[in-house]
Each structure stands twice: as structure tokens, then as C-alpha cells.
Amino acid sequence: MPRTAASTLVSPVPRAADSDRRRTSASVVLRSVLEHGPVARSTIARLTGLSPASVTEHCARLAGLGLIREDAAPRRSGGVGRPHVPVDLDGERFVVGGVHVAVPYTTVALLDLRGRVVAERRLRHEGTDPGRVFDRAAGAFAALLAGVPDRRPLGVGVAVGGWVDRETGTVVEHGLLGWREVPVRDLLGARTGLPVHVDGHARALVHGERMFGRAGGSRSVLHLFVGNVVDAAFATNDEVHHGPRSAAGAIAHLPVPGGDEPCACGRSGCLQAELSERTLCRRARAAGVGDGMNPMRVVAAAAAGDTMARRLLRERARATGRAVGLLLDVLNPETVVVTEVGVIHFEDCLGALRDAAGDSRAATVLPTSFPDSVLAVAGGSVMLDVLFRDPLSASPEVI
């Protein structure tokens, strides 16, 4: 039968649109399994609004990729009807790499699909030449993989402080490391042969908190990272704000009320100058608490009963709280997560931070969900965010 004029004018939905729809739906299904698994396919359909047939198709595809598997024990709903066979993430087949570059050292780790650390190694810098740093990171990553021969790597996430361009995988500027326009994705990708994704550590931890931590389900999240580098990230409705060339979150020179610490910019009282771990350690040495550059020695002294060490940590927490108060006023997030050593280890530091932030919002301010593995989770969360947003392309077995 010859085609009619009408049939020549009606074209099918573009294949690119079909592909986008499949990827989006696969992401929704995989995130539902992450949040609720083990979970029945019928429950996924109800939670996501996808049709049962579509959920079944996507579960089959994700199972074929090795990302999910059927739970061993079928379950009955109310004891009647056909038993449901729940699905859950397959936590035994794959890992992702997590690399976090801090000022004094690099953390290299393997994480499973639920963001749990499988193995971890810390490498103190032998100079900060980027090539050398990522040579050593790649070597440590290979050694960790050798220890889990039954796991396959899906890729590597890298989290770094400073100004990080997520789209190009480049550290645009990191003053404390002396880095400028460092092509991290290319450097580590060439050394591992795997997909590499790079982001700032505050943004990476927003992803981690939303996927695996206390901020899951929050409509808006602010994360404040307080280390040698001090920066922030803000997410609404599962989207992190990046700004032009991913420059959002640079708060190092935000003025701290009452601050007087000299800053390299020529002013005094800038947030990073006041709160950096270098400043904490210098003040601790001046007060006779420890003699090094490791803030964990201040924490250990405080835990052992050193009142001066505890006082220094509380003062730092209060200053952090004042910064949180300013950010609360500007952004008004539903949840604030703070990564800071005193707040992680001591309730009175968390209390001091909340008091300084303002009593009316105290309950919204939480410490990191990953007190024992925050840097490893930061690196791994970069890759896991990519995986859960687009599981079909992130897997090496995608067809």
C-alpha cells in the first residue's frame, strides 16, 4: 500500500528523546531501589509513577548490568496472593574509586553502591606536583583493587577543594596546593583507564548526604566544609548549584563577625583564614596544645581532658556557627550539614555551633553523616552521583 501524504508528515518520536526518557526512568528506578531496597517492583511503580511494565523492563535492564539483583526471600503482601520478589542493589559485584585531595595528603578508597567504604588508604604528599599526586593515587587505587579481585570498578570520583570545573574535570585554582588549570580528569583517566569525574568536595558531600546520609529527602541542602579549605555547596530538588564554570560556593573571603586573623588577600577576618585547620593548629601550638599541623591531635587532646584544646574547638565551632547563620539568612535551606572536626567529635561543639547559628534554626544544622570516612565518601560520591543519574552509561557493560 502506498504511503499517504499524512503518513509522510507524521514522524516517530526522535530516538534521542527515547534514549533520554529511558535513561531518566532507569535513574528513577535505581534511586528508588537505593532509598527503599529491598523493594517490590510494584512498590517502585507506585513510588515513581511509572507503569508496572516499565518498572519491570528497567529492573531487568539494571539486573543485566549487575547493578541490582533479586532478594533471596520472596515476600507475601498480607499473607495472600502471589509472593513479591523484592529487588535490591547488588553490593557485591562493583565498586567505585574515591579520591580526595587535601592539602597535606590524598585519600584513596573503594566504595560499594551504597556509599560504604570497602577499603581506604591515605597518602601523605611527597610534594604537590599534580602528576606525582595522581601517579601515587592511581598506584594506591590499583593496590586496593587487587585486594578485592571479585569486584569490578565502574569508575573513579575525585573531590578537591578550591575552584573545580566539573564539566571539564579541571581544578581551575587551588591556592594552598599551588594548582592552576590542572586537568585532573585527563591525568587520572590516563593512569587508570577508567571514567573519571571530578568535583569540589563540598558539592561532592551534598551528593553523598542526599544519597546515603541524613539529608535524604530534604528539598534543599546546604553543606559547609571546614578544613584547610573552607567552602560551601547548595542543592535544591536534587540539583546542586554550580554557577558559571562551577565557581559557586567560594566563600573563603566571607567576613566573619569579630574575626581578626590576617588573610592572604590583605584583609583580616576572612572565613577561611579564621577557620582553617592551619589556623587551629597554630593557635593550639601557641597555647601549648601539641606541636604539629594535624588537627586530630587537638581533637585527641580535647578527648583526653585538655581544657584548652576543648576551648579552642568550641571557639572554632562558634565562628563556624556565625558563618552558618549568615548562609541561613541568605539561602534558607531546609537542612544544613557541617563537616568540621570539633562538631564531628564533641556534642558541646555542635551545641556551640547551633547557638551561634541561631536558636530558631538549630534543629536544621547537622554534623556530617560520615564522621569516620568523610573524605573517602566525598571522592566516591562524585562517581556514584553520576552512576545514579545515568546508570545505563556509567556501567561498562551497557549495550
Side-chain angles (χ1 to χ4, degrees):
M1 178 183 294
R3 290 191 298 174
T4 66
S7 67
T8 62
L9 294 175
V10 177
S11 60
V13 176
R15 300 187 68 174
D18 285 341
S19 176
D20 289 344
R21 187 179 300 111
R22 284 195 300 270
R23 294 179 188 282
T24 300
S25 297
S27 172
V28 168
V29 170
L30 189 61
R31 284 175 176 267
S32 294
V33 177
L34 170 66
E35 185 175 352
H36 301 285
V39 59
R41 294 170 180 83
S42 58
T43 303
I44 296 173
R46 177 173 54 81
L47 292 170
T48 63
L50 296 171
S51 71
S54 179
V55 170
T56 297
E57 176 187 348
H58 286 299
C59 284
R61 185 184 294 269
L62 294 170
L65 295 172
L67 300 177
I68 67 172
R69 63 185 178 188
E70 291 187 340
D71 199 33
R75 303 177 185 179
R76 292 184 181 273
S77 177
V80 296
R82 296 178 60 187
H84 297 288
V85 181
V87 293
D88 202 357
L89 295 180
D90 189 337
E92 303 299 324
R93 188 168 182 177
F94 293 121
V95 290
V96 301
V99 176
H100 179 278
V101 183
V103 174
Y105 54 81
T106 296
T107 300
V108 182
L110 304 178
L111 285 75
D112 69 12
L113 298 189
R114 288 196 173 276
R116 297 173 295 208
V117 177
V118 174
E120 181 177 353
R121 182 173 295 182
R122 181 170 291 182
L123 309 171
R124 184 158 290 278
H125 291 322
E126 297 175 354
T128 57
D129 172 74
R132 175 62 173 157
V133 168
F134 291 110
D135 273 340
R136 298 183 71 219
F141 176 63
L144 293 179
L145 282 176
V148 288
D150 56 334
R151 307 277 190 112
R152 291 186 57 190
L154 290 170
V156 184
V158 183
V160 192
W163 179 2
V164 180
D165 184 345
R166 181 173 180 266
E167 293 301 317
T168 63
T170 300
V171 174
V172 181
E173 185 175 8
H174 192 309
L176 295 178
L177 289 176
W179 289 5
R180 189 178 294 273
E181 300 293 347
V182 175
V184 173
R185 183 172 65 195
D186 296 342
L187 289 172
L188 194 56
R191 288 160 171 79
T192 62
L194 291 168
V196 174
H197 299 273
V198 188
D199 209 344
H201 55 200
R203 290 193 293 265
L205 285 167
V206 165
H207 294 312
E209 291 288 346
R210 292 178 69 90
M211 289 187 291
F212 317 115
R214 298 189 184 101
S218 293
R219 289 168 295 181
S220 57
V221 181
L222 168 69
H223 184 271
L224 179 62
F225 186 97
V226 182
N228 278 308
V229 173
V230 178
D231 54 11
F234 182 61
T236 56
N237 298 322
D238 202 35
E239 292 295 332
V240 175
H241 179 62
H242 290 85
R245 209 181 179 193
S246 299
I251 60 170
H253 300 290
L254 185 74
V256 177
D260 59 4
E261 188 72 25
C263 180
C265 73
R267 295 179 294 178
S268 296
C270 293
L271 187 62
Q272 185 165 291
E274 287 290 331
L275 299 184
S276 78
E277 290 177 348
R278 290 183 173 186
T279 300
L280 172 65
C281 291
R282 181 180 56 74
R283 290 174 176 172
R285 291 195 304 273
V289 180
D291 58 359
M293 292 295 292
N294 187 343
M296 294 309 299
R297 294 183 180 177
V298 184
V299 171
D306 189 315
T307 56
M308 178 55 71
R310 197 65 163 256
R311 176 184 169 187
L312 288 169
L313 290 171
R314 281 197 301 269
E315 289 176 349
R316 188 179 192 231
R318 287 193 194 95
T320 302
R322 290 193 290 272
V324 168
L326 293 173
L327 294 171
L328 277 167
D329 289 341
V330 173
L331 298 172
N332 193 33
E334 185 174 299
T335 303
V336 179
V337 181
V338 178
T339 298
E340 190 273 334
V341 290
V343 171
I344 289 172
H345 290 92
F346 301 109
E347 284 292 329
D348 59 331
C349 288
L350 177 59
L353 184 149
R354 286 173 166 169
D355 287 344
D359 290 341
S360 64
R361 300 298 304 275
T364 69
V365 183
L366 306 171
T368 177
S369 301
F370 318 107
D372 300 320
S373 56
V374 64
L375 302 184
V377 170
S381 291
V382 177
M383 183 63 214
L384 287 167
D385 174 63
V386 173
L387 171 68
F388 281 97
R389 288 182 186 277
D390 190 358
L392 302 184
S393 66
S395 171
E397 298 179 20
V398 66
I399 56 175

